[in-house]
Amino acid sequence: MVNEKIQNVLSRLEKDIDYENSHRDEIPGEKRLNCISRNIGMFYNTLLMSINAKKILEIGMSVGYSGLWFADAVMLNTKSDGQIITIDREQFKIDNATRNFEEAGVSSLIKIRKGEARKILDEIKEEFGENYFDFIFIDADKESYIEYFDLCLPLVRKGGIIGADNILLPERFNEMMADYLSHVRSNPNVQSVTVPIDNGEEVTIKL
Ligand SMILES: C[S@@+](CC[C@H](N)C(=O)[O-])C[C@H]1O[C@@H](n2cnc3c(N)ncnc32)[C@H](O)[C@@H]1O
């Protein structure tokens, strides 16, 4: 069962997400939240509990919807040594996420890094070294997924997981996602499968 304070914020955000999904054309691209669905949030929440994830990195935070699902699992998995680092470059999303994390009571667990994901991933490698994270979620600019995967694979521990969103939908990303899948699946150091829920998740375990 999801932590009550987290659930309250998730429920409020789900109203915004539902509105966005039914009025997509009226909302300018840069203002869209583009969050994962509740199903996918629940899927990762369950997965993170099952691998006992304590250290998580997210590329593409938006207003923190997915981050709240991760935080709920990490809070169950740890007493106080959990750590979630989440990256975004848009100030209005950072302001919004900061408020959401405060309201959900998870501000001490989640650290937001503002800036270009590539640059921040280099800094994170310097700071934390290899094999540090239990789970990394890729959900930023789709054209950079392959690059993010290559930067993230050394950062995730053996038995840890890299998740990637939008593998199946929206259709305009299909070609880029096909390239991502063939890149990931040609790597002998991972095993990878598409989970066909909602927009589709690629779940890749480091062997
Ligand atoms: C799909 S949304 C993330 C949704 C979030 N994971 C969720 O499900 O709640 C993608 C986010 O990535 C950010 N983003 C896109 N490209 C980026 C980049 N190169 N560096 C940093 N952030 C980026 C955007 O500002 C946007 O907020």
Side-chain angles (χ1 to χ4, degrees), residues 102-134:
E102 272 164 19
E103 194 183 318
V106 297
S107 302
S108 59
L109 176 61
I110 306 184
K111 297 288 171 252
I112 300 173
R113 297 274 182 115
K114 184 187 175 187
E116 270 305 314
R118 255 177 230 92
K119 184 168 174 284
I120 293 174
L121 287 173
D122 286 340
E123 291 166 8
I124 283 174
K125 188 171 181 188
E126 283 292 301
E127 241 171 278
F128 299 101
E130 300 197 340
N131 303 306
Y132 185 79
F133 293 96
D134 301 302

Side-chain angles (χ1 to χ4, degrees), residues 131 153-161 189-190 204-207:
N131 303 306
L153 193 57
L155 300 177
V156 77
R157 69 162 163 89
K158 282 190 183 150
I161 284 173
N189 301 316
V190 304
T204 306
I205 185 165
K206 181 167 164 181
L207 302 173

Side-chain angles (χ1 to χ4, degrees), residues 6 18 41 45 54 106 134 185 190 204:
I6 294 179
D18 286 348
N45 182 268
K54 297 177 177 170
V106 297
D134 301 302
R185 290 170 188 199
V190 304
T204 306

